[in-house]
Amino acid sequence: MVLSTTTGVVEEVLALLAAVPAPAAGPAVVAVEGRSGSGKTELAAALAARTGATVVHLDDLYPGWSGLDAAVDLLRGLLARLRTGRPATQPVWDWDRGAYTRWVPLPTTGLVVVEGVGAGCAGPVDLLVELVADPDVRRDRALTRDGATFAPHWDDWAAQEDRLFARCPVRPDVRFTSGTAVGTEPAWS
C-alpha cells in the first residue's frame, strides 16, 4: 500500500528529526542511504527545498568508479569535523578530470543532508534514513538518469555496494520503500 508522496516522506523525516536532541556542536545531519537508483538524490533535494539544508552528494566525494570505500572514509572525516562545530570543506570530484578540483564550505549550524551510497556507514548522524527499491526499478532509474556513463560500471558498482553493506549493515532510524516507473514520482511506503 502506498503511504506517502515525496512531500509526505519529507514531512515524516522532519517530524522524526524534530524529536532528536540538537547536536552539542555543528549542524544537525540527516543521512539518506540506499543503493543506486533508490531515490536518495530526489529525497535529499526535497528535504533541502523544504528546509534550506545544505546537501552533500556522495557522487561529489567518490574518487571515480572504484571509489566507494574511499568516499566513505572521506565522509567519516567530514562528519567528525562537523561535529566539532568548526568550519569544514567538502571536496568535489571532477569525473572528467579524475581529480578533486574544488572545495565547498559546509555550514557550522543548521541542517546538512548527506545522500549517497555509504552515507549511513560513515559515522554518527542525527537521523539515518534508508531508501530501498526493487533492483530492476533501481537499475532502470540509474541508467535512465546517467545512461551510457553508468551502464558499463553498474555491475562493478553493485559489487562495491554488496561489499560495503556486508561490512557495514545499515541500521536506519526509518526505512522507506520507493516504487513506480522511471519518470514518475516515486510511490513511498
Side-chain angles (χ1 to χ4, degrees), residues 163-180:
R163 288 189 300 272
L164 175 69
F165 295 130
R167 285 190 319 276
C168 174
V170 177
R171 292 179 175 82
D173 297 302
V174 63
R175 176 180 290 131
F176 297 101
T177 300
S178 85
T180 68

Side-chain angles (χ1 to χ4, degrees), residues 25-172:
V29 178
V30 172
V32 181
E33 175 67 85
R35 292 179 180 257
S36 293
S38 60
K40 300 174 303 296
T41 303
E42 180 178 339
L43 180 57
L47 283 165
R50 173 74 167 72
T51 65
T54 296
V55 178
V56 174
H57 300 280
L58 265 76
D59 285 353
D60 291 338
L61 299 183
Y62 305 129
W65 289 107
S66 60
L68 180 54
D69 287 336
V72 171
D73 290 342
L74 182 58
L75 180 59
R76 189 173 291 116
L78 284 173
L79 290 174
R81 180 111 178 142
L82 286 175
R83 286 293 180 221
T84 68
R86 296 185 322 235
T89 56
Q90 168 208 327
V92 177
W93 182 259
D94 184 316
W95 288 81
D96 293 326
R97 293 183 181 168
Y100 293 107
T101 57
R102 63 186 177 95
W103 285 258
V104 177
L106 297 176
T108 57
T109 61
L111 178 61
V112 172
V113 177
V114 178
E115 71 85 15
V117 178
C121 296
V125 295
D126 298 294
L127 187 67
L128 175 52
V129 178
E130 182 183 25
L131 302 183
V132 296
D134 178 86
D136 291 334
V137 169
R138 291 187 307 97
R139 183 181 173 94
D140 286 349
R141 285 178 184 165
L143 297 182
T144 297
R145 178 189 65 217
D146 297 323
T149 301
F150 196 174
H153 305 284
W154 177 264
D155 291 334
D156 290 337
W157 188 260
Q160 287 181 79
E161 291 177 348
D162 290 343
R163 288 189 300 272
L164 175 69
F165 295 130
R167 285 190 319 276
C168 174
V170 177
R171 292 179 175 82

Side-chain angles (χ1 to χ4, degrees), residues 4-16:
S4 300
T5 63
T6 300
T7 301
V9 171
V10 167
E11 294 304 321
E12 290 177 49
V13 168
L14 293 177
L16 290 168

